[in-house]
Amino acid sequence: MIKPKFPCIVIFVIVAALNFILTAIDLTGQPRIRFESTNTPNEVVASANPSLPHSQREENLGNSISLSQIGRKDSRRLSLLSQYADPQSKETKPSALETHDMKILSLGTSQTWGVNLTNRESEAYPRLLSPVAKNLAMRAMGPKYPALCAQSLIGEEQYDIITLEFIGGGQRIPDLGMLAGRLRERFPDAIIIFVKIWYPRQIQIRDQNDEWIYLGTYFEKHGVEDWKNELLNLKQSQLRYEVIPGYTGDDMFHKIVESVGGYVYQMPQLNDALNHLLEYKDWWLDDMHHISLDGHKEVARGVKEVFEHARDSYKSEPRLGTWGEGDQCDTWYTSGQCSLPRSDNLVVKPFDKQMTKFAIDIGDMARGGSVKVNNPFDSPRTLFIGYMVINPLPSPYPRTSVAAGQNRSMILEQTSQNFAFPVHVMVLKNFGLISPGETTLHFLPLEEGGNPFRLTSISIVGQSQADKKIEDLFYDDA
């Protein structure tokens, strides 16, 4: 007797339904990954379920990520994003292009540079993405220098993936926009991933005096040496806390992402930042600022996850655009090598304990010193002068004049504006136009200081870059 097929069909449907449910639900009955719409058009946020244990969350997603792919002429909708809800599901994923197969360029701050890693050349997240990634991050530096000097810094190589790690809003946003724009013009087909890393010093605490102070300042005020062990006591104290505004999101930031068709990776941050620190405190070093090796691994894992969603944009034969008006920049800040002709009393010296930061010292108030710069272009170009500052005031660096001939000079000030906490950073000052050919700049300290004036770079750039309506400041407390 022939048996009916109907029960087999029913069983097959039931099994398929159960498999679908188990893919989306863990043993606790909670969704493994939650995909939510945000207020930003065409942006999707994928976040690991915070109720899961850390190890299981790591297995399921690795990092919470924010993905933006908006504004590209060849815009691709992420309508199939739900296919990636279960990284274990091989059937719903096409074969992967690994990041180590890509030519990767990384620009960023001291986080990307890899401060205090045992071997930053192999442990910083760009090298975890690919052992041959080009890591051009610079310490104590924001996006302005690479924005002005992208051609001099990057050169003529082609890249498939570009990561940009410059946190914060305010002064950095226009500079980041200029950098992203120049990179898109040069690399029309590159996948640009904006990396947002936050850190414990960005948390503010309302103390017993009902005043908002930074978490690091709070611990220092109370003599706390091991902040990671003190977090539980702080949590139990019922003090109010919040992440500094301007770091958790910025409308202008999303407009920049949109303008270049970029993607965003955001380091996981629960709504309750202090609870997040309790669970993931090993992501950061003792300085409460820089990410540890564990933190770099998390960032690399998250960037790879973003690439999984962006890889349909990858082109095996990418186009190469132009550098626009171009630039001619010289910096000895990271290399200690300066080829500019200068007075015999001006010497390049290291000025940090690790001997990884260099400057031309100018400390002679009677004599000063001269540096010759060359504008190789056939039209006047804008000159930016890079030098070190320390904030808050008073600074150990002296106010210094710089002159080009007898009738043109300006004062290079030490400034305390726009810095939330003590920093030691490079700033870039717009000196104005210089004619084609050679110009001699004479520097003269105007006061005694604990440190000599420290000159770190000379940048000659196009007018379109120089005319951005921005202040000449950026910060990083490296």
Side-chain angles (χ1 to χ4, degrees):
M1 183 176 64
I2 299 176
K3 295 182 180 180
K5 296 181 180 180
F6 179 77
C8 295
I9 296 174
V10 171
I11 293 172
F12 177 82
V13 171
I14 293 173
V15 170
L18 286 173
N19 183 62
F20 175 80
I21 293 170
L22 290 175
T23 297
I25 305 295
D26 69 7
L27 296 178
T28 66
Q30 299 295 326
R32 291 188 180 189
I33 301 175
R34 184 177 65 254
F35 292 95
E36 300 173 345
S37 297
T38 68
N39 293 328
T40 305
N42 297 330
E43 182 174 0
V44 177
V45 176
S47 59
N49 181 359
S51 67
L52 291 177
H54 171 66
S55 60
Q56 192 171 349
R57 253 181 285 170
E58 187 176 87
E59 176 186 354
N60 287 339
L61 184 58
N63 287 95
S64 301
I65 57 175
S66 173
L67 301 176
S68 295
Q69 191 212 24
I70 41 184
R72 296 283 300 263
K73 291 181 180 179
D74 56 343
S75 178
R76 180 175 53 83
R77 300 290 180 180
L78 297 177
S79 59
L80 299 180
L81 189 58
S82 59
Q83 292 180 354
Y84 296 86
D86 182 7
Q88 308 293 329
S89 175
K90 306 299 182 182
E91 293 76 19
T92 57
K93 283 188 176 182
S95 59
L97 282 169
E98 295 293 341
T99 55
H100 65 249
D101 297 327
M102 307 287 100
K103 294 196 68 175
I104 299 176
L105 168 67
S106 292
L107 298 165
T109 69
S110 55
Q111 301 280 21
T112 299
W113 189 85
V115 167
N116 290 335
L117 293 175
T118 303
N119 184 356
R120 75 174 194 88
E121 294 295 337
S122 62
E123 295 176 347
Y125 73 82
R127 289 297 178 87
L128 297 178
L129 293 170
S130 169
V132 294
K134 190 75 169 180
N135 186 352
L136 294 181
M138 302 177 74
R139 300 174 63 190
M141 183 82 68
K144 187 167 188 175
Y145 183 83
L148 293 173
C149 300
Q151 180 180 12
S152 300
L153 190 62
I154 297 169
E156 302 305 313
E157 288 193 50
Q158 175 70 276
Y159 292 97
D160 303 307
I161 301 174
I162 301 172
T163 69
L164 300 178
E165 177 265 317
F166 296 101
I167 60 172
Q171 306 295 336
R172 288 189 167 197
I173 288 296
D175 299 333
L176 179 59
M178 178 167 59
L179 173 58
R182 292 197 73 191
L183 291 172
R184 178 54 75 208
E185 183 178 2
R186 176 64 174 175
F187 305 105
D189 299 320
I191 296 171
I192 299 179
I193 301 175
F194 294 79
V195 177
K196 299 182 74 174
I197 298 174
W198 70 284
Y199 50 90
R201 282 189 178 272
Q202 292 171 243
I203 295 178
Q204 288 183 323
I205 295 289
R206 187 178 287 276
D207 65 9
Q208 291 85 347
N209 298 322
D210 204 35
E211 296 179 352
W212 286 105
I213 62 174
Y214 295 102
L215 184 59
T217 304
Y218 177 86
F219 285 146
E220 292 165 3
K221 182 178 178 181
H222 290 81
V224 174
E225 295 182 358
D226 189 342
W227 67 269
K228 295 180 181 180
N229 288 334
E230 186 64 21
L231 285 174
L232 185 58
N233 292 334
L234 184 62
K235 176 66 178 176
Q236 294 172 344
S237 70
Q238 301 299 313
L239 292 177
R240 293 175 56 196
Y241 51 88
E242 64 180 24
V243 177
I244 299 172
Y247 289 87
T248 54
D250 191 297
D251 289 342
M252 285 300 298
F253 173 81
H254 289 292
K255 289 180 180 178
I256 292 171
V257 175
E258 178 179 358
S259 70
V260 298
Y263 295 82
V264 177
Y265 159 74
Q266 179 163 327
M267 196 174 190
Q269 179 179 320
L270 305 181
N271 293 331
D272 190 333
L274 206 55
N275 276 335
H276 184 91
L277 275 183
L278 281 167
E279 185 166 0
Y280 296 106
K281 57 183 180 293
D282 290 336
W283 286 357
W284 290 275
L285 298 172
D286 291 340
D287 64 6
M288 300 183 66
H289 180 123
H290 298 103
I291 52 176
S292 65
L293 177 56
D294 286 344
H296 280 271
K297 289 178 179 178
E298 289 294 331
V299 174
R301 187 156 38 238
V303 171
K304 285 185 177 181
E305 189 75 23
V306 172
F307 177 67
E308 276 296 296
H309 297 290
R311 58 195 165 98
D312 286 355
S313 299
Y314 168 72
K315 290 181 172 59
S316 58
E317 297 182 1
R319 295 168 292 170
L320 193 62
T322 75
W323 286 118
E325 293 181 278
D327 56 71
Q328 175 64 50
C329 302
D330 292 281
T331 181
W332 43 96
Y333 177 64
T334 58
S335 68
Q337 304 298 316
C338 177
S339 60
L340 296 178
R342 57 191 184 276
S343 304
D344 56 10
N345 64 325
L346 301 189
V347 179
V348 178
K349 297 180 180 179
F351 62 88
D352 66 329
K353 293 180 180 179
Q354 296 78 23
M355 301 185 71
T356 58
K357 300 178 185 178
F358 302 85
I360 293 177
D361 285 0
I362 306 174
D364 189 338
M365 290 181 60
R367 181 183 175 188
S370 296
V371 176
K372 291 183 179 180
V373 300
N374 181 58
N375 173 4
F377 302 98
D378 57 6
S379 61
R381 294 296 178 103
T382 302
L383 170 68
F384 280 85
I385 298 170
Y387 62 100
M388 299 304 297
V389 302
I390 288 180
N391 284 276
L393 296 176
S395 169
Y397 288 124
R399 295 169 63 248
T400 299
S401 71
V402 56
Q406 296 183 348
N407 300 318
R408 185 178 178 193
S409 66
M410 71 184 307
I411 305 299
L412 302 176
E413 300 278 1
Q414 292 286 316
T415 176
S416 61
Q417 298 177 359
N418 305 306
F419 297 99
F421 39 77
V423 292
H424 187 189
V425 299
M426 184 203 295
V427 298
L428 297 175
K429 195 68 176 179
N430 186 336
F431 185 75
L433 292 174
I434 59 172
S435 300
E438 193 174 86
T439 297
T440 298
L441 302 174
H442 186 74
F443 296 85
L444 184 66
L446 301 178
E447 58 192 6
E448 294 286 351
N451 295 331
F453 177 81
R454 286 178 174 150
L455 180 68
T456 53
S457 69
I458 294 292
S459 306
I460 299 170
V461 305
Q463 197 66 30
S464 62
Q465 291 133 252
D467 285 344
K468 299 293 180 182
K469 303 300 181 182
I470 53 179
E471 296 293 332
D472 298 325
L473 298 173
F474 45 86
Y475 80 88
D476 184 14
D477 69 350

